[in-house]
Amino acid sequence: MAFNLSDLVEETRLSLQAIADYGDHLFNPTVRLGVTGLSRAGKTVFITALIHGLLRGGRFPVFEAFATGRIARARLEPQPDDAVPRFAYESHVRTLTEQRQWPQSTTDISELRLVIDYQRPNGADRTLTLDIVDYPGEWLLDLPLLTKSYEAWSVESLALSRAGPRARLATEWHAHLATLDPLARADEQATLTSARLFTDYLRACRDERFAMSLLPPGRFLMPGNLAGSPALTFAPLSVPDEATAPNGSLWAMMQRRYEAYKDVVVRPFFRDHFTRLDRQIVLVDALAAFNAGPEALHDLQAALAGILDCFRIGRSTFFSSLLRPRIDRILFAATKADHLHHTSHDRLEAILKRMVERAVSQAEFSRAAVDVVALSAVRATREARVQRGHEQLPSIVGTPAEGEVANGEAFDGATEVATFPGDLPTNLDELFATGAAPDFKGLSHGTADHADYRFLRLRPPRLESSGGDTPYLPHIRLDRALQFLIGDRLQ
Ligand code: GDP
């Protein structure tokens, strides 16, 4: 990347921001905790449950400061960043506890400030400010675009769209693409159609049957307040090798908009938000990938590698100093562990660890501690043993969401059922063997009846009120996540 004046101005502005943040931290210790993960990984539910537990006194035996009674109280305070929407905590809690529905998922960045009054182990009273920043993981996958030309991005995106189950989903977009001449005059209507078909293709890849993860540019599926703007209206073209875009051509127009996307969307996000985070949790819905099939699992692994790349601390280019994260703890969390019997929780954790390990070993994490956990922010199931013949099978009991179907039965959203979720694979070498797709069948191969795994969407749990106050939200290992993410800051 070329050195230029605007980078230098940015560098100075960022340094001033860092000094301001540092001063703030000195007098008012603050942790900026990023919560990310791909669409429907469980960010909204995680943040809602975490805040609810801290405000209402949840059951957190592994969160030491809380369990030993050193936390006097936690309270919400006005969110400090004027340009970022507030995380809609109150309405999310009402949806969860009163309507027994899951809250509206993350579509844009949002933030909430929680202030924790606590006592140090030596008895001194202190306050920790926790700023929780919720943002789509898809946005992290845009980082590589900054060093990629429009032409290179086009070639890569087209190659990806011709492989595996993606090819089928890209048929309509490919057919339109074949009618376009990159050297012809710029045509707004052709660009609009191309961008629409390309976005439809990305959306189809994300559908739960395919559960693809690697779908940049991130804002095409998560446009936030930029929906419909030219910076989000472009698509790959089959551009000729070793030529340059003629002035006024369709190619030049797409190229300009691609560059605008980087300037208007990607750089500001990394500069203004990502680089200011101190701690990060990355939520991963591995079970959705198991539902969909081996390609989805493979794709998820590639997306995780992309996400991990953003946390590489030791990159030495000038460009990266603008975007260098200061994050010193990263937790990868496999969510929705309540879909599994507890005997499988460790297995889920081991699978995520394996997916992350490879990427971590390729990265330079000298300054950041990394850990992995399988958790459920809100536990929607309980465990039971169900007699089948002479055997007692470990099963989980929950209420499948309305419209879910299993073994030909459609659920009404009110009936509780016991299911045998199936054992996750134990042979991880086989599961992640390079070169070979893992050997299991998912929804992307046909009907649900032939899939090896079927994790149904469940309704949130019915909460037993012990009279008066809102009851606890049950969870699995949420306290372990809290201990890793902020436990040391409450010492
Ligand atoms: P986001 O897109 O990352 O904000 O994802 P959400 O937090 O909205 O979660 C997406 C969906 O996953 C929810 O609507 C629930 O169906 C499901 N979900 C999330 N967390 C849990 C959990 O802890 N247990 C269960 N059973 N389902 C969950």
Side-chain angles (χ1 to χ4, degrees):
M1 161 136 315
F3 176 90
N4 65 39
L5 190 61
S6 70
D7 280 345
L8 192 62
V9 171
E10 265 318 306
E11 176 87 323
T12 312
R13 194 181 74 79
L14 275 175
S15 304
L16 292 175
Q17 169 83 61
I19 292 167
D21 281 354
Y22 180 70
D24 208 24
H25 284 206
L26 214 53
F27 297 107
N28 176 21
T30 302
V31 173
R32 282 180 79 80
L33 169 65
V35 179
T36 197
L38 299 172
S39 176
R40 304 196 63 76
K43 300 178 288 296
T44 311
V45 174
F46 174 85
I47 297 173
T48 306
L50 181 152
I51 297 173
H52 188 268
L54 290 176
L55 292 181
R56 304 285 183 128
R59 289 202 179 97
F60 292 150
V62 178
F63 183 30
E64 185 269 335
F66 203 84
T68 54
R70 290 197 293 107
I71 292 186
R73 77 181 183 125
R75 59 187 190 278
L76 292 175
E77 275 202 355
Q79 198 265 98
D81 289 300
D82 293 336
V84 179
R86 183 178 183 274
F87 182 82
Y89 167 70
E90 292 79 2
S91 92
H92 290 335
V93 167
R94 275 199 302 278
T95 309
L96 254 178
T97 58
E98 293 172 18
Q99 297 165 23
R100 225 186 129 201
Q101 300 291 348
W102 298 106
Q104 186 85 42
S105 300
T106 302
T107 54
D108 205 339
I109 190 164
S110 70
E111 190 175 333
L112 197 68
R113 170 165 281 191
L114 190 74
V115 176
I116 303 172
D117 297 324
Y118 70 100
Q119 203 172 48
R120 297 189 62 188
N122 68 10
D125 290 329
R126 288 283 185 277
T127 295
L128 178 73
T129 300
L130 182 64
D131 286 335
I132 302 174
V133 184
D134 173 24
Y135 66 92
E138 283 80 357
W139 296 4
L140 291 178
L141 295 176
D142 278 345
L143 183 70
L145 302 187
L146 290 181
T147 47
K148 207 171 281 178
S149 68
Y150 170 72
E151 292 69 23
W153 172 73
S154 283
V155 169
E156 246 178 49
S157 304
L158 276 167
L160 198 63
S161 72
R162 290 186 176 123
R166 287 171 182 253
R168 251 185 306 142
L169 307 173
T171 325
E172 206 180 337
W173 166 50
H174 285 168
H176 180 259
L177 184 66
T179 67
L180 298 178
D181 174 6
L183 305 178
R185 275 179 60 81
D187 176 347
E188 176 76 354
Q189 288 311 315
T191 308
L192 280 168
T193 309
S194 190
R196 180 174 55 75
L197 292 174
F198 176 58
T199 310
D200 287 349
Y201 146 73
L202 295 177
R203 197 173 292 120
C205 291
R206 194 179 61 180
D207 181 276
E208 66 175 355
R209 277 174 304 146
F210 303 99
M212 293 287 153
S213 304
L214 208 53
L215 302 165
R219 298 288 167 120
F220 276 47
L221 296 180
M222 296 268 165
N225 57 7
L226 288 168
S229 61
L232 264 61
T233 311
F234 62 91
L237 286 174
S238 305
V239 289
D241 289 343
E242 295 170 25
T244 48
N247 280 341
S249 65
L250 182 64
W251 178 2
M253 179 165 165
M254 295 279 196
Q255 192 185 51
R256 198 178 57 247
R257 289 180 174 194
Y258 172 82
E259 292 302 327
Y261 179 82
K262 294 198 235 174
D263 290 341
V264 182
V265 173
V266 186
R267 256 187 216 99
F269 164 69
F270 279 94
R271 191 183 62 207
D272 301 338
H273 301 294
F274 184 69
T275 49
R276 294 175 60 211
L277 299 174
D278 303 301
R279 302 274 156 100
Q280 176 70 58
I281 180 165
V282 180
L283 302 175
V284 182
D285 186 355
L287 300 181
F290 274 102
N291 263 345
E295 295 87 356
L297 196 66
H298 190 259
D299 209 60
L300 177 62
Q301 196 177 6
L304 278 174
I307 287 178
L308 268 153
D309 214 32
C310 300
F311 302 117
R312 282 175 56 185
I313 313 275
R315 285 177 303 180
S316 56
T317 56
F318 172 76
F319 149 72
S320 76
S321 75
L322 279 181
L323 305 174
R324 185 174 295 147
R326 63 179 187 215
I327 292 167
D328 62 357
R329 280 187 183 213
I330 308 167
L331 181 61
F332 287 86
T335 53
K336 312 183 194 178
D338 58 334
H339 283 85
L340 299 167
H341 195 262
H342 73 268
T343 46
S344 286
H345 292 167
D346 288 347
R347 218 174 270 187
L348 178 60
E349 203 165 289
I351 288 169
L352 180 61
K353 194 171 207 158
R354 178 62 81 90
M355 285 203 265
V356 175
E357 236 165 33
R358 192 169 291 171
V360 169
S361 68
Q362 290 161 0
E364 305 143 45
F365 281 97
S366 46
R367 273 175 33 202
V370 182
D371 201 1
V372 174
V373 66
L375 60 75
S376 173
V378 173
R379 178 180 196 156
T381 61
R382 54 200 162 75
E383 296 187 349
R385 290 199 158 265
V386 172
Q387 193 78 32
R388 198 177 262 189
H390 296 298
E391 262 189 305
Q392 285 223 328
L393 295 180
S395 62
I396 57 159
V397 179
T399 310
E402 189 178 355
E404 285 290 89
V405 179
N407 302 325
E409 186 186 353
F411 296 101
D412 61 3
T415 313
E416 228 185 29
V417 296
T419 54
F420 310 98
D423 285 334
L424 291 176
T426 41
N427 188 339
L428 301 191
D429 289 337
E430 205 173 281
L431 189 65
F432 294 113
T434 34
D439 187 20
F440 66 92
K441 277 197 235 36
L443 289 175
S444 62
H445 296 104
T447 62
D449 293 344
H450 295 107
D452 286 335
Y453 301 98
R454 189 79 186 99
F455 300 105
L456 298 170
R457 272 186 312 123
L458 300 168
R459 274 189 77 181
R462 189 185 301 284
L463 302 176
E464 307 297 335
S465 177
S466 47
D469 235 355
T470 316
Y472 302 119
L473 287 171
H475 67 87
I476 297 169
R477 297 181 182 172
L478 184 56
D479 47 349
R480 211 181 109 192
L482 272 167
Q483 180 63 23
F484 178 78
L485 291 169
I486 56 168
D488 63 317
R489 302 300 297 269
L490 295 164
Q491 289 304 313

